[in-house]
Amino acid sequence: MTTNTVINLIARPQGTFGPELFEVETKPMPSIAPGELLVKQSHMSLDPAMMGWMSADTESYIPPVALGSVMRSSGLGTVVESNHPDFAVGDRVMGMFGWQEYAVSAGVGIHKIDPQLNPEMVLSVFALPGLTAVQGLFNVAKPKAGETLIVTGAAGSVGSIVGQLAKADGLRVIGVAGGAEKCDWIVNELGFDGAIDYKSEDLETQLADLTPNGIDIFFENTGGEIQSLIVNRMNAHGRVAVCGLISEYVAAKPLPGPDWLNVIKKRLTIQGFTMPDHLQHTPALLEKLAPYVAQGKIKYRAHVLQGLESAMTGIDLFLTGQNKGKLIVEL
Ligand SMILES: NC(=O)c1ccc[n+]([C@@H]2O[C@H](COP(=O)([O-])OP(=O)(O)OC[C@H]3O[C@@H](n4cnc5c(N)ncnc54)[C@H](OP(=O)(O)O)[C@@H]3O)[C@@H](O)[C@H]2O)c1
């Protein structure tokens, strides 16, 4: 191989996330300097956070991707050349490699992965989704057995793990997802106690029926109309972990938020969090997650697209809800 195919971001999104934002470029194969390694990428993770990274927003938790540069993403690969003392040819590694076949790295932020582990499982469970679920559930929401938790985006990568962890710890778990298939999956396959299709009618009645003792924990991944209805049913000293608001990532105007009188009346704790603040705690988060996985308590499904260029149409699947599980591009 003498060339490296890369995909650059060339325009800021205006409500859609299709191929018009990208260009495919064939570059010469990069060479490595002392202290560097060359990784051949096998799998890339697609994540809703990328929508924010493509925007021009400079006030977010991470700078935007510069126009004309390789689109940012995390992924898995194999070291094919190494001038780095800690990495050898053949090592399986995970890192921020971007939308490209080969990536040069100085080794910073790169982790070795057990080559025996299924790559889809690594990206679906032990990477961002699992770390986010553990951080948000245990360190932000602080669940107790017997409490009621509701999670939005419940059939998604993060939400499905949040619900299963909470279920395993003895909480009543209700998931909010789009459509009958996803609602069936979280109840019948994952063991949630109930599901609400946020696209259906009479959400308030469905919520009341499924949370007869109110709601102690709200793990928020989506925003939307149901957000206020959930906050209205929170119990005293309830906790809201604000992880994501995907419905607002492309909305012209955000919906008005919940009634803040509830925050006082119910003495709620509402906390937003972003994983880049917590990545240095990855070993501890994985240590917390691993026993649940080992005991077979965490199921996942991966939605795998084929070929580097499929990434350009992949992001939009998040907005239409067509992704069934963790979106991964296999190169
Ligand atoms: N704070 C952090 O550090 C952090 C880290 C990772 C992820 N996140 C956030 O967590 C959320 C979930 O991420 P994920 O990777 O697990 O993605 P995901 O849930 O696997 O995929 C996104 C899902 O969002 C749902 N959705 C899209 N538009 C919606 C709308 N208008 N209203 C309600 N739901 C909508 C769709 O499912 P339906 O078919 O059910 O609509 C879609 O499948 C995102 O908001 C993401 O930004 C935050």
Side-chain angles (χ1 to χ4, degrees), residues 45-51 61 128-129 131-133 152-160 176-179 182 197-199 219-226 242-250 272-278 316-327:
S45 174
L46 299 187
D47 295 283
M50 290 170 159
M51 296 182 214
Y61 59 95
L128 188 66
L131 299 177
T132 306
T152 51
S157 312
V158 174
S160 61
V176 178
K182 290 186 178 181
D197 175 359
Y198 69 88
K199 296 173 181 168
F219 196 107
E220 171 64 302
N221 282 317
T222 66
E225 184 197 339
I226 200 164
V242 186
C243 175
L245 289 175
I246 196 166
S247 71
E248 300 197 4
Y249 296 168
V250 292
F273 70 100
T274 62
M275 287 314 290
D277 287 350
H278 304 286
D316 208 46
L317 301 180
F318 287 127
L319 292 177
T320 56
Q322 286 177 69
N323 68 304
K324 294 206 173 121
K326 178 77 196 87
L327 258 190

Side-chain angles (χ1 to χ4, degrees), residues 66-217:
L67 291 183
S69 64
V70 175
M71 181 58 207
R72 180 188 297 145
S73 62
S74 64
L76 279 179
T78 303
V79 177
V80 290
E81 284 178 36
S82 180
N83 289 332
H84 194 293
D86 299 337
F87 297 93
V89 169
D91 282 349
R92 289 286 285 162
V93 287
M94 180 156 65
M96 298 301 290
F97 300 133
W99 286 8
Q100 54 187 344
E101 293 173 299
Y102 291 86
V104 172
S105 167
V108 180
I110 307 261
H111 304 283
K112 286 189 203 172
I113 301 295
D114 180 347
Q116 305 298 323
L117 287 176
N118 175 328
E120 291 172 14
M121 187 193 199
V122 172
L123 291 178
S124 304
V125 179
F126 291 119
L128 188 66
L131 299 177
T132 306
V134 170
Q135 173 62 26
L137 182 63
F138 295 114
N139 297 340
V140 177
K142 303 187 172 73
K144 297 184 205 78
E147 290 186 324
T148 296
L149 172 144
I150 188 157
V151 54
T152 51
S157 312
V158 174
S160 61
I161 298 180
V162 168
Q164 292 177 88
L165 291 171
K167 220 24 232 164
D169 276 8
L171 281 83
R172 176 172 176 79
V173 173
I174 307 301
V176 178
E181 191 276 342
K182 290 186 178 181
C183 287
D184 284 349
W185 184 64
I186 59 177
V187 172
N188 297 322
E189 286 290 320
L190 305 189
F192 285 30
D193 297 290
I196 297 175
D197 175 359
Y198 69 88
K199 296 173 181 168
S200 64
E201 301 293 317
D202 209 356
L203 298 175
E204 199 167 3
T205 307
Q206 293 187 59
L207 262 179
D209 289 347
L210 286 171
T211 61
N213 299 322
I215 296 167
D216 301 292
I217 295 176

